[in-house]
Amino acid sequence: MVSANGENIRQYAVALVVTAITVWLVYRYAAVRYGVEGLSTLNKSLATSTLFLLGIVLLLGPLSRLFTLFDHALKYRKELGVLTFFTGVAHVYLSMFPLARRGPWGFYTAQPVSAYSGLAGLVIMFILLLLSGAAVERAIGTRVWWKLQYWGARLAFIAIAVHFIVLKNQGMAEWFMKRGAGGAVGALWLPPISILAAVFFLFVLVVRLSELFGSQSARVITQLSFLTISIFTAWLFI
């Protein structure tokens, strides 16, 4: 029989593997797409992985309720959320210090909406991390604790999505018009990772909202939306 501590360690190990694989895959894609490796590409990977991983955390709940296939994955939700906070911290650190061209606060001056929305998402995730312990849950009550976690994760995800969309919307629009034509470095015909992140964000949003219509409708909406984004994503690579 596995002890509670042993099970907790195993869940963190699985979440760590998922996080590492996500960061590595996004890094490799970015390296091929932009033709550059190094710290800046790692920073892109950490930023995008934060959105992807937090989106997965938000999907595990409804997917486990709608499809038994995902029941076993629900237990990793907390651990993934904790590790997602650290990918976000790493991204903010690299952006503000090693990769900052105009000092730590230069980006906040140049792109305040994008910068502060991203920072707000990280702050919310930090608060959720502080509140994630069992002692805090006992102190404030499970009902209040769950509401804070429920709404906090959603607000953090929206804030991070706003950060991405505001920062990358012009580049995404240009790619759809030119499809990477005229670029000399990298495989610019590949869709930017910002577009892939935006598609994933829309999928998470649709799945979360689908439960408002009941479980049967939600299953149909989730399946149709998954099929739609799969076809659209495939089209992006054609």
Side-chain angles (χ1 to χ4, degrees):
M1 186 174 180
V2 180
S3 67
N5 286 339
E7 177 63 17
N8 189 250
I9 292 171
R10 191 184 73 82
Q11 288 175 194
Y12 267 108
V14 172
L16 181 60
V17 169
V18 171
T19 301
I21 290 174
T22 302
V23 172
W24 183 80
L25 287 175
V26 177
Y27 177 88
R28 293 313 313 163
Y29 180 85
V32 171
R33 201 275 173 184
Y34 300 103
V36 178
E37 295 196 38
L39 210 55
S40 62
T41 301
L42 176 61
N43 197 33
K44 286 185 177 72
S45 174
L46 289 167
T48 309
S49 296
T50 299
L51 181 68
F52 282 149
L53 291 168
L54 188 54
I56 291 172
V57 170
L58 292 177
L59 282 174
L60 287 177
L63 290 181
S64 66
R65 288 190 289 272
L66 298 173
F67 306 99
T68 57
L69 176 65
F70 296 94
D71 286 349
H72 70 286
L74 185 62
K75 62 184 177 182
Y76 301 107
R77 181 169 55 179
K78 175 184 174 181
E79 290 77 13
L80 273 176
V82 170
L83 293 177
T84 298
F85 167 72
F86 289 107
T87 63
V89 167
H91 165 60
V92 171
Y93 170 75
L94 291 176
S95 299
M96 291 184 66
F97 297 102
L99 297 174
R101 297 178 181 177
R102 298 181 297 273
W105 300 102
F107 178 55
Y108 294 85
T109 302
Q111 297 275 359
V113 175
S114 176
Y116 283 107
S117 60
L119 184 61
L122 186 65
V123 170
I124 293 170
M125 291 172 67
F126 177 65
I127 294 172
L128 294 179
L129 178 63
L130 293 179
L131 297 175
S132 64
V136 176
E137 182 181 354
R138 288 193 297 269
I140 65 177
T142 300
R143 184 177 180 181
V144 174
W145 181 87
W146 179 248
K147 282 187 177 181
L148 290 172
Q149 295 290 332
Y150 181 93
W151 289 109
R154 283 146 188 79
L155 289 173
F157 185 66
I158 292 172
I160 293 170
V162 170
H163 167 68
F164 257 92
I165 294 170
V166 171
L167 183 63
K168 300 293 185 179
N169 69 90
Q170 184 176 350
M172 289 189 285
E174 290 177 356
W175 184 84
F176 277 111
M177 290 187 292
K178 299 180 181 179
R179 284 282 184 148
V185 180
L188 298 184
W189 60 272
L190 291 172
I193 53 178
S194 55
I195 291 180
L196 301 180
V199 171
F200 180 69
F201 167 74
L202 288 175
F203 175 66
V204 174
L205 189 62
V206 169
V207 172
R208 294 298 321 188
L209 293 176
S210 69
E211 289 193 295
L212 297 174
F213 303 99
S215 59
Q216 185 173 354
S217 297
R219 278 193 289 270
V220 174
I221 292 171
T222 298
Q223 291 169 330
L224 289 177
S225 61
F226 178 75
L227 178 62
T228 301
I229 68 159
S230 297
I231 294 173
F232 179 74
T233 302
W235 173 78
L236 291 174
F237 287 88
I238 296 175

